Amino acid sequence: MRSSPISQKERIYTIDIIRGFALFGIFLVNMPAFHSADFMKSVYGFEVSYTGLDYWVDVFFTLFVEMKFFTTFSFLFGLGFYIFMSRADAKGLKTATLFLRRMLGLLAFGVVHLIALWYGDILHTYAIAGVFLLFFYKRKIMTMLIWAASLLFVYNAFLGLTLLVPSSFLESMEASESSLMASFLREYVAVYENAGYIEWVTYRLGAELPIILINLIPALIPVFAMFLIGLAAGKAGIFHNIAGHLPLIKKICLITGLISLPLVVLLGLFKMDILDWGVKQIYIVQLLTSIGSTFMSLFYVSALTLVLRKDTWQQALRPLGFTGQMALTNYLMQTVIAIAIFVGFDLYGKVSLVTGTLICLAIFAVQMIWSTLWLKTFRFGPFEWLWRSFTYLKIQPLKK
């Protein structure tokens, strides 16, 4: 293991590998929404129940995957913002103009992705939240962390308000809406199974887009909080000199791991109905998942950073780094491939959670191979190249 600071190239490898790891986790979580209406059911308060092996896969996802990798990716976005801005500053470029154009390009990708393919797009949220990072770029690190902690507290406190609502009120509300929602979900699944592309997109604009818009502001809060934590890490120089910050990284890993452990245990007890709060069960699971996601994502990041200090792990996980280097392309292609498989081949609603997970693993394995081969010849992924060219208003050299 090295004791000297890692080079610029090795530092980027570490970040790219963590980004690839986060992209994989996001794909795992998104996959059930690609092949079934499970996410829409949860949005409308229907508890999705699984049996057999699907049940244990769902438990595992809830405890260790759900919201953890999305949060990790948000952290990396904030870190990437600092790297982008500091490099632009060093070159004497107009940093604010470049970054705003960068976010405009990301928003364009997100809007097309959202409307033409899938309601679960996160790019538009990142683009909108990213603009506000400009107000914090030159602020003190402690200011960033205080804002991040405050936003997360407000967000989780808001989620927790549901637990204060009388159970009788929640039960009556669910009873009055259950038949209406059941009818809607039957129609929703039927459209996904039978409609042509134009009809499918038109229906989605009315059924899905309003939910996305209503939840946009609440969705921005935890995203921006993790942006700020990533920005703080960048400004503190943690990934610029990992060796010099090893004591801090180890401390973060230990503290977040110790906090995550009891939260995971408690979440597991509620998820498996060992502890039962009746009609409020789904809300306590959501709250614990949200609270635990911040600490576990920071645990993942710090633990991976420590593991990647070893050359053997750097080499073994390099394909994951190539996948992370092309995160935008791979994220968008995951949607294209999944929609083509499940909607195009009439498999929507007919695939189990286990089968969907195996398909996810197969697709991601292909993406790792493809990313490795692509980056042997080209400098960027296809969509990264388009994004970069738009940002600088100049066609970027693609081939190495």
Side-chain angles (χ1 to χ4, degrees), residues 154-190:
V154 169
Y155 178 78
N156 289 307
F158 179 77
L159 286 181
L161 288 177
T162 312
L163 301 177
L164 301 178
V165 178
S167 297
S168 57
F169 177 80
L170 292 175
E171 289 171 352
S172 62
M173 183 177 67
E174 289 186 4
S176 63
E177 295 180 352
S178 60
S179 59
L180 180 62
M181 291 301 102
S183 175
F184 164 76
L185 288 171
R186 283 194 297 270
E187 179 188 56
Y188 182 86
V189 172

Side-chain angles (χ1 to χ4, degrees), residues 50-63 272 353-354:
Y50 296 100
T51 58
L53 190 55
D54 282 357
Y55 171 81
W56 292 108
V57 171
D58 179 53
V59 169
F60 177 81
F61 281 2
T62 301
L63 298 186
M272 293 185 286
L353 189 59
V354 171

Side-chain angles (χ1 to χ4, degrees), residues 253-290:
C253 186
L254 178 62
I255 293 173
T256 55
L258 290 175
I259 294 175
S260 296
L261 182 60
L263 287 173
V264 167
V265 172
L266 187 60
L267 176 58
L269 293 175
F270 279 106
K271 180 64 180 178
M272 293 185 286
D273 296 324
I274 297 172
L275 294 177
D276 189 358
W277 278 24
V279 71
K280 295 182 180 180
Q281 194 80 348
I282 188 173
Y283 302 110
I284 188 66
V285 168
Q286 288 175 350
L287 178 60
L288 289 172
T289 301
S290 176

Side-chain angles (χ1 to χ4, degrees), residues 3-6 237-238 240-249 309:
S3 58
S4 59
I6 63 176
I238 293 176
H240 181 71
N241 180 9
I242 292 176
H245 291 88
L246 277 179
L248 175 61
I249 297 171
R309 290 291 297 159

Side-chain angles (χ1 to χ4, degrees), residues 35-212:
H35 65 66
S36 67
D38 289 353
F39 177 75
M40 290 300 290
K41 289 178 182 178
S42 65
V43 167
Y44 283 102
F46 283 81
E47 186 173 359
V48 181
S49 59
Y50 296 100
T51 58
L53 190 55
D54 282 357
Y55 171 81
W56 292 108
V57 171
D58 179 53
V59 169
F60 177 81
F61 281 2
T62 301
L63 298 186
F64 301 107
V65 181
E66 187 177 343
M67 288 188 70
K68 282 74 174 178
F69 292 92
F70 159 74
T71 309
T72 301
F73 213 86
S74 300
F75 169 89
L76 293 172
F77 188 95
L79 175 62
F81 164 77
Y82 179 79
I83 294 173
F84 176 88
M85 295 291 285
S86 59
R87 287 179 178 176
D89 272 339
K91 295 175 182 177
L93 302 175
K94 295 180 179 180
T95 54
T97 301
L98 278 177
F99 185 72
L100 286 173
R101 198 154 56 232
R102 184 173 174 84
M103 291 301 97
L104 180 60
L106 188 64
L107 180 63
F109 281 127
V111 170
V112 173
H113 185 221
L114 174 66
I115 294 176
L117 289 171
W118 190 51
Y119 62 83
D121 172 77
I122 193 58
L123 301 180
H124 70 285
T125 306
Y126 275 27
I128 295 170
V131 172
F132 295 96
L133 281 172
L134 289 171
F135 297 103
F136 288 85
Y137 175 54
K138 295 185 178 180
R139 303 293 292 274
K140 295 180 180 178
I141 292 175
M142 186 55 65
T143 301
M144 301 173 190
L145 294 177
I146 290 173
W147 268 89
S150 300
L151 289 171
L152 289 171
F153 175 81
V154 169
Y155 178 78
N156 289 307
F158 179 77
L159 286 181
L161 288 177
T162 312
L163 301 177
L164 301 178
V165 178
S167 297
S168 57
F169 177 80
L170 292 175
E171 289 171 352
S172 62
M173 183 177 67
E174 289 186 4
S176 63
E177 295 180 352
S178 60
S179 59
L180 180 62
M181 291 301 102
S183 175
F184 164 76
L185 288 171
R186 283 194 297 270
E187 179 188 56
Y188 182 86
V189 172
V191 170
Y192 265 76
E193 291 178 341
N194 304 311
Y197 179 73
I198 300 299
E199 182 185 354
W200 177 69
V201 171
T202 303
Y203 177 81
R204 288 180 52 248
L205 290 177
E208 296 171 352
L209 195 58
I211 300 173
I212 301 300

